[in-house]
């Protein structure tokens, strides 16, 4: 197979462009991630408790707590981050409680979403808006 000079330059330029695209260009959206986690199932609006500050002075360390009684897994997403998935907490049958606490990084003011898979196979969702005064992801 022989390439002309123009074809070679076009292929090389396309390859360079793909490598220079930001990582966020490949990231799935929050809704796609939720659909993958739930398998497209309907979600209840109650059953998950998400605690996060209303205003975070620094987006580098935002404390959150999530609880869902009877959950086997809880997915936490930050919808405005370049990569929305924050954490997935899995709970076994011997877990004393279905509760997790951590600190997350937020790029700016955005919604934090928690989706729980309950033991009966159903799903529950909640979200909370966190206002960030100083961004944590390069903002």
């Amino acid at each position: 197979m022989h390439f002309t000079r123009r074809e070679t330059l076009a292929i090389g330029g396309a390859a360079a462009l793909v490598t220079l695209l930001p990582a966020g260009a490949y990231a799935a959206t929050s809704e796609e991630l939720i659909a993958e986690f739930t398998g497209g199932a309907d979600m209840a609006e109650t059953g998950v408790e998400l605690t996060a500050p209303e205003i975070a002075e620094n987006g580098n360390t935002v404390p959150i707590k999530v609880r869902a009684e009877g959950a086997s897994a809880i997915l936490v997403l930050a919808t405005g981050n370049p990569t929305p998935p924050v954490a997935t907490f899995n709970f076994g049958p011997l877990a004393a409680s279905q509760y997790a606490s951590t600190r997350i990084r937020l790029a700016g003011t955005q919604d934090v979403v928690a989706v729980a898979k309950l033991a009966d196979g159903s799903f529950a969702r909640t979200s909370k808006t966190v206002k960030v005064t100083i961004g944590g992801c390069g903002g």
Side-chain angles (χ1 to χ4, degrees):
M1 177 184 271
H2 297 328
F3 292 108
T4 66
R5 183 175 180 191
R6 283 188 182 171
E7 290 170 334
T8 303
L9 288 173
I11 292 170
L17 181 63
V18 167
T19 59
L20 295 177
L21 282 175
Y26 302 110
T29 66
S30 298
E31 293 305 318
E32 290 172 340
L33 293 166
I34 291 171
E36 181 181 325
F37 183 72
T38 63
D42 291 333
M43 293 176 281
E45 293 295 324
T46 59
V48 182
E49 180 184 328
L50 175 65
T51 306
E54 204 170 294
I55 297 174
E57 290 186 21
N58 188 342
N60 282 321
T61 57
V62 179
I64 65 163
K65 297 175 186 174
V66 65
R67 176 188 313 271
E69 292 303 319
S72 60
I74 301 175
L75 171 69
V76 179
L77 302 168
T79 60
N81 278 358
T83 53
V86 173
T88 302
F89 301 101
N90 294 300
F91 304 100
L94 299 178
S97 67
Q98 292 76 28
Y99 166 84
S101 174
T102 189
R103 294 183 181 273
I104 64 173
R105 179 177 278 186
L106 299 177
T109 299
Q110 60 187 285
D111 289 334
V112 177
V113 178
V115 180
K117 179 179 182 182
L118 303 176
D120 63 0
S122 64
F123 293 90
R125 170 187 179 148
T126 191
S127 66
K128 182 160 185 172
T129 301
V130 178
K131 296 176 185 172
V132 177
T133 57
I134 300 173
C137 295

